[in-house]
Amino acid sequence: MHRFFVCAAMAGVLGSQVAIASDIAPTDVKFEDMSIGQSLTGVPGNPEEGAKVLANRGLGNCLACHAVTPLESEQFHGNVGPSLDGVADRWSAEELRAIVVNAKHIFTEQTVMPAFYSLEYGINPRKDLEGKTILTAQQVEDVVAYLGTLKEPE
């Protein structure tokens, strides 16, 4: 009986912590000085999951435009965008978050990089995708965590 109450109490504490850490809605994301300083989830990103999202052709599909040497086992790296090798030495985590969320806020409206966590679609979006983001807030944080590992060799 005592174990039940301890487990129930722990579940209540854990449940309340999960409720505290909620995602920032795409419409509430704040860009300041070409960066997003606040985590979208309040939960650290997982670099291993970020690498999966980045390489997944149904999610990030980043390799369609960017080369990433640590993911060279994946096929069909693109060259439309710059190589992501060493990206952590060129951009801070806050800047990388802003680029992934909506590169048009950082570069120009003409960039071909999609907004991965935005409801700004441009013209003629597919009706079934309206109101949805390409990535979840946690997937953005995971990708940012992975990009943070991509440093120039010393």
Side-chain angles (χ1 to χ4, degrees):
M1 183 83 151
H2 182 265
R3 282 187 189 160
F4 171 78
F5 288 115
V6 170
C7 290
M10 287 179 65
V13 168
L14 291 175
S16 68
Q17 287 176 345
V18 170
I20 291 170
S22 62
D23 296 351
I24 295 175
T27 54
D28 294 334
V29 173
K30 303 286 186 239
F31 289 81
E32 290 185 29
D33 297 323
M34 296 180 60
S35 67
I36 299 172
Q38 184 178 2
S39 165
L40 302 178
T41 63
V43 177
N46 178 324
E48 292 82 19
E49 288 301 312
K52 292 176 189 174
V53 170
L54 190 138
N56 185 313
R57 302 221 184 278
L59 287 174
N61 198 22
C62 303
L63 296 180
C65 294
H66 300 280
V68 182
T69 300
L71 298 176
E72 64 189 355
S73 64
E74 299 289 332
Q75 294 183 339
F76 309 118
H77 292 234
N79 60 4
V80 173
S83 168
L84 295 181
D85 294 349
V87 73
D89 293 324
R90 296 188 299 272
W91 302 90
S92 69
E94 295 79 12
E95 292 165 330
L96 290 169
R97 182 179 297 112
I99 292 167
V100 174
V101 166
N102 191 345
K104 288 173 181 21
H105 281 270
I106 307 307
F107 304 125
T108 70
E109 285 292 321
Q110 284 72 43
T111 185
V112 296
M113 185 166 168
F116 288 98
Y117 193 70
S118 175
L119 301 180
E120 297 174 17
Y121 302 116
I123 58 172
N124 300 322
R126 282 182 22 196
K127 296 296 180 200
D128 63 322
L129 299 178
E130 287 182 4
K132 298 177 184 174
T133 60
I134 297 171
L135 298 179
T136 67
Q138 188 59 51
Q139 288 169 329
V140 169
E141 294 302 323
D142 293 343
V143 167
V144 170
Y146 176 69
L147 293 173
T149 69
L150 299 178
K151 298 186 179 266
E152 293 291 343
E154 294 183 25

PDB file of all heavy atoms in Angstrom, residues 6 24 28 33 44 50 53 60 84 90 100 111 117 127-128 139 142 147 150:
ATOM      1  N   VAL A   6       3.596   6.183  -2.819  1.00  0.00           N
ATOM      2  CA  VAL A   6       4.864   6.760  -3.261  1.00  0.00           C
ATOM      3  C   VAL A   6       4.870   6.875  -4.781  1.00  0.00           C
ATOM      4  O   VAL A   6       5.227   7.910  -5.347  1.00  0.00           O
ATOM      5  CB  VAL A   6       6.062   5.920  -2.759  1.00  0.00           C
ATOM      6  CG1 VAL A   6       7.362   6.378  -3.419  1.00  0.00           C
ATOM      7  CG2 VAL A   6       6.173   6.010  -1.247  1.00  0.00           C
ATOM      8  N   ILE A  24       6.430  26.335 -27.204  1.00  0.00           N
ATOM      9  CA  ILE A  24       6.044  27.665 -27.672  1.00  0.00           C
ATOM     10  C   ILE A  24       5.358  27.465 -29.021  1.00  0.00           C
ATOM     11  O   ILE A  24       5.898  26.798 -29.907  1.00  0.00           O
ATOM     12  CB  ILE A  24       7.276  28.572 -27.817  1.00  0.00           C
ATOM     13  CG1 ILE A  24       7.912  28.821 -26.444  1.00  0.00           C
ATOM     14  CG2 ILE A  24       6.912  29.890 -28.501  1.00  0.00           C
ATOM     15  CD1 ILE A  24       9.205  29.604 -26.498  1.00  0.00           C
ATOM     16  N   ASP A  28       3.940  32.257 -31.597  1.00  0.00           N
ATOM     17  CA  ASP A  28       4.466  32.985 -30.440  1.00  0.00           C
ATOM     18  C   ASP A  28       5.988  33.039 -30.394  1.00  0.00           C
ATOM     19  O   ASP A  28       6.562  33.584 -29.451  1.00  0.00           O
ATOM     20  CB  ASP A  28       3.946  32.348 -29.142  1.00  0.00           C
ATOM     21  CG  ASP A  28       2.443  32.509 -28.986  1.00  0.00           C
ATOM     22  OD1 ASP A  28       1.884  33.474 -29.562  1.00  0.00           O
ATOM     23  OD2 ASP A  28       1.828  31.665 -28.311  1.00  0.00           O
ATOM     24  N   ASP A  33      17.376  40.083 -32.821  1.00  0.00           N
ATOM     25  CA  ASP A  33      18.762  40.159 -33.293  1.00  0.00           C
ATOM     26  C   ASP A  33      19.160  38.908 -34.078  1.00  0.00           C
ATOM     27  O   ASP A  33      20.195  38.305 -33.816  1.00  0.00           O
ATOM     28  CB  ASP A  33      19.727  40.383 -32.125  1.00  0.00           C
ATOM     29  CG  ASP A  33      19.477  41.696 -31.420  1.00  0.00           C
ATOM     30  OD1 ASP A  33      19.146  42.685 -32.110  1.00  0.00           O
ATOM     31  OD2 ASP A  33      19.615  41.740 -30.184  1.00  0.00           O
ATOM     32  N   PRO A  44      16.090  20.133 -23.305  1.00  0.00           N
ATOM     33  CA  PRO A  44      17.268  20.111 -24.177  1.00  0.00           C
ATOM     34  C   PRO A  44      17.051  19.217 -25.398  1.00  0.00           C
ATOM     35  O   PRO A  44      16.373  18.189 -25.319  1.00  0.00           O
ATOM     36  CB  PRO A  44      18.378  19.532 -23.292  1.00  0.00           C
ATOM     37  CG  PRO A  44      17.894  19.715 -21.895  1.00  0.00           C
ATOM     38  CD  PRO A  44      16.394  19.675 -21.951  1.00  0.00           C
ATOM     39  N   GLY A  50      18.262  14.518 -33.483  1.00  0.00           N
ATOM     40  CA  GLY A  50      18.397  15.587 -34.458  1.00  0.00           C
ATOM     41  C   GLY A  50      19.030  15.120 -35.754  1.00  0.00           C
ATOM     42  O   GLY A  50      18.612  15.525 -36.843  1.00  0.00           O
ATOM     43  N   VAL A  53      16.346  13.315 -37.706  1.00  0.00           N
ATOM     44  CA  VAL A  53      15.396  14.260 -38.315  1.00  0.00           C
ATOM     45  C   VAL A  53      16.033  14.934 -39.520  1.00  0.00           C
ATOM     46  O   VAL A  53      15.422  15.043 -40.587  1.00  0.00           O
ATOM     47  CB  VAL A  53      14.922  15.320 -37.287  1.00  0.00           C
ATOM     48  CG1 VAL A  53      14.131  16.430 -37.955  1.00  0.00           C
ATOM     49  CG2 VAL A  53      14.089  14.651 -36.184  1.00  0.00           C
ATOM     50  N   GLY A  60      12.954  16.534 -41.917  1.00  0.00           N
ATOM     51  CA  GLY A  60      13.797  17.675 -42.225  1.00  0.00           C
ATOM     52  C   GLY A  60      14.252  17.715 -43.669  1.00  0.00           C
ATOM     53  O   GLY A  60      14.251  18.757 -44.301  1.00  0.00           O
ATOM     54  N   LEU A  84      26.978  21.852 -44.094  1.00  0.00           N
ATOM     55  CA  LEU A  84      26.721  22.104 -42.676  1.00  0.00           C
ATOM     56  C   LEU A  84      27.919  21.737 -41.806  1.00  0.00           C
ATOM     57  O   LEU A  84      27.883  21.936 -40.594  1.00  0.00           O
ATOM     58  CB  LEU A  84      25.462  21.354 -42.227  1.00  0.00           C
ATOM     59  CG  LEU A  84      24.184  21.822 -42.890  1.00  0.00           C
ATOM     60  CD1 LEU A  84      22.984  21.039 -42.373  1.00  0.00           C
ATOM     61  CD2 LEU A  84      23.965  23.320 -42.707  1.00  0.00           C
ATOM     62  N   ARG A  90      30.172  28.709 -36.931  1.00  0.00           N
ATOM     63  CA  ARG A  90      29.736  29.907 -37.655  1.00  0.00           C
ATOM     64  C   ARG A  90      28.504  30.570 -37.039  1.00  0.00           C
ATOM     65  O   ARG A  90      28.283  31.768 -37.220  1.00  0.00           O
ATOM     66  CB  ARG A  90      29.437  29.553 -39.117  1.00  0.00           C
ATOM     67  CG  ARG A  90      30.652  29.074 -39.880  1.00  0.00           C
ATOM     68  CD  ARG A  90      30.406  28.918 -41.369  1.00  0.00           C
ATOM     69  NE  ARG A  90      29.384  27.971 -41.748  1.00  0.00           N
ATOM     70  CZ  ARG A  90      29.592  26.668 -41.957  1.00  0.00           C
ATOM     71  NH1 ARG A  90      30.793  26.144 -41.790  1.00  0.00           N
ATOM     72  NH2 ARG A  90      28.592  25.884 -42.324  1.00  0.00           N
ATOM     73  N   VAL A 100      16.472  27.444 -38.469  1.00  0.00           N
ATOM     74  CA  VAL A 100      15.630  26.250 -38.655  1.00  0.00           C
ATOM     75  C   VAL A 100      14.155  26.627 -38.532  1.00  0.00           C
ATOM     76  O   VAL A 100      13.329  26.167 -39.324  1.00  0.00           O
ATOM     77  CB  VAL A 100      16.012  25.136 -37.657  1.00  0.00           C
ATOM     78  CG1 VAL A 100      15.052  23.967 -37.748  1.00  0.00           C
ATOM     79  CG2 VAL A 100      17.446  24.662 -37.907  1.00  0.00           C
ATOM     80  N   THR A 111      15.082  33.085 -49.952  1.00  0.00           N
ATOM     81  CA  THR A 111      15.755  31.833 -49.633  1.00  0.00           C
ATOM     82  C   THR A 111      14.831  30.651 -49.929  1.00  0.00           C
ATOM     83  O   THR A 111      13.616  30.739 -49.722  1.00  0.00           O
ATOM     84  CB  THR A 111      16.238  31.783 -48.168  1.00  0.00           C
ATOM     85  OG1 THR A 111      16.988  30.573 -47.975  1.00  0.00           O
ATOM     86  CG2 THR A 111      15.086  31.788 -47.181  1.00  0.00           C
ATOM     87  N   TYR A 117       9.312  25.533 -38.561  1.00  0.00           N
ATOM     88  CA  TYR A 117       8.400  25.675 -37.420  1.00  0.00           C
ATOM     89  C   TYR A 117       7.688  27.020 -37.535  1.00  0.00           C
ATOM     90  O   TYR A 117       7.881  27.930 -36.738  1.00  0.00           O
ATOM     91  CB  TYR A 117       9.164  25.558 -36.098  1.00  0.00           C
ATOM     92  CG  TYR A 117       8.250  25.385 -34.901  1.00  0.00           C
ATOM     93  CD1 TYR A 117       7.536  24.214 -34.709  1.00  0.00           C
ATOM     94  CD2 TYR A 117       8.106  26.394 -33.964  1.00  0.00           C
ATOM     95  CE1 TYR A 117       6.696  24.060 -33.619  1.00  0.00           C
ATOM     96  CE2 TYR A 117       7.273  26.247 -32.866  1.00  0.00           C
ATOM     97  CZ  TYR A 117       6.573  25.078 -32.704  1.00  0.00           C
ATOM     98  OH  TYR A 117       5.734  24.914 -31.612  1.00  0.00           O
ATOM     99  N   LYS A 127      -3.846  22.440 -48.928  1.00  0.00           N
ATOM    100  CA  LYS A 127      -4.911  22.644 -47.928  1.00  0.00           C
ATOM    101  C   LYS A 127      -4.763  21.702 -46.738  1.00  0.00           C
ATOM    102  O   LYS A 127      -5.041  22.081 -45.606  1.00  0.00           O
ATOM    103  CB  LYS A 127      -6.293  22.468 -48.564  1.00  0.00           C
ATOM    104  CG  LYS A 127      -6.603  23.511 -49.632  1.00  0.00           C
ATOM    105  CD  LYS A 127      -6.655  24.897 -49.056  1.00  0.00           C
ATOM    106  CE  LYS A 127      -6.961  25.922 -50.140  1.00  0.00           C
ATOM    107  NZ  LYS A 127      -6.575  27.257 -49.778  1.00  0.00           N
ATOM    108  N   ASP A 128      -4.306  20.465 -46.974  1.00  0.00           N
ATOM    109  CA  ASP A 128      -4.193  19.500 -45.882  1.00  0.00           C
ATOM    110  C   ASP A 128      -3.029  19.819 -44.943  1.00  0.00           C
ATOM    111  O   ASP A 128      -2.932  19.239 -43.865  1.00  0.00           O
ATOM    112  CB  ASP A 128      -4.065  18.075 -46.423  1.00  0.00           C
ATOM    113  CG  ASP A 128      -2.810  17.868 -47.255  1.00  0.00           C
ATOM    114  OD1 ASP A 128      -2.433  18.783 -48.006  1.00  0.00           O
ATOM    115  OD2 ASP A 128      -2.223  16.781 -47.157  1.00  0.00           O
ATOM    116  N   GLN A 139      11.529  18.518 -32.296  1.00  0.00           N
ATOM    117  CA  GLN A 139      12.388  18.151 -33.423  1.00  0.00           C
ATOM    118  C   GLN A 139      13.309  19.310 -33.803  1.00  0.00           C
ATOM    119  O   GLN A 139      14.472  19.084 -34.140  1.00  0.00           O
ATOM    120  CB  GLN A 139      11.545  17.708 -34.625  1.00  0.00           C
ATOM    121  CG  GLN A 139      10.899  16.361 -34.419  1.00  0.00           C
ATOM    122  CD  GLN A 139       9.851  16.039 -35.476  1.00  0.00           C
ATOM    123  OE1 GLN A 139       9.185  16.930 -36.005  1.00  0.00           O
ATOM    124  NE2 GLN A 139       9.696  14.749 -35.770  1.00  0.00           N
ATOM    125  N   ASP A 142      16.025  19.261 -31.309  1.00  0.00           N
ATOM    126  CA  ASP A 142      16.919  18.133 -31.582  1.00  0.00           C
ATOM    127  C   ASP A 142      17.861  18.456 -32.738  1.00  0.00           C
ATOM    128  O   ASP A 142      19.063  18.183 -32.670  1.00  0.00           O
ATOM    129  CB  ASP A 142      16.114  16.867 -31.894  1.00  0.00           C
ATOM    130  CG  ASP A 142      15.329  16.342 -30.703  1.00  0.00           C
ATOM    131  OD1 ASP A 142      15.616  16.735 -29.548  1.00  0.00           O
ATOM    132  OD2 ASP A 142      14.401  15.529 -30.930  1.00  0.00           O
ATOM    133  N   LEU A 147      23.170  20.109 -34.879  1.00  0.00           N
ATOM    134  CA  LEU A 147      23.979  21.105 -35.585  1.00  0.00           C
ATOM    135  C   LEU A 147      25.076  21.656 -34.669  1.00  0.00           C
ATOM    136  O   LEU A 147      26.172  21.977 -35.136  1.00  0.00           O
ATOM    137  CB  LEU A 147      23.082  22.231 -36.114  1.00  0.00           C
ATOM    138  CG  LEU A 147      22.096  21.854 -37.210  1.00  0.00           C
ATOM    139  CD1 LEU A 147      21.175  23.031 -37.512  1.00  0.00           C
ATOM    140  CD2 LEU A 147      22.808  21.378 -38.472  1.00  0.00           C
ATOM    141  N   LEU A 150      28.436  19.981 -34.966  1.00  0.00           N
ATOM    142  CA  LEU A 150      29.161  20.054 -36.239  1.00  0.00           C
ATOM    143  C   LEU A 150      30.169  21.202 -36.216  1.00  0.00           C
ATOM    144  O   LEU A 150      29.911  22.310 -36.644  1.00  0.00           O
ATOM    145  CB  LEU A 150      28.178  20.224 -37.401  1.00  0.00           C
ATOM    146  CG  LEU A 150      27.170  19.096 -37.575  1.00  0.00           C
ATOM    147  CD1 LEU A 150      26.214  19.401 -38.718  1.00  0.00           C
ATOM    148  CD2 LEU A 150      27.875  17.764 -37.804  1.00  0.00           C
TER     149      LEU A 150
END
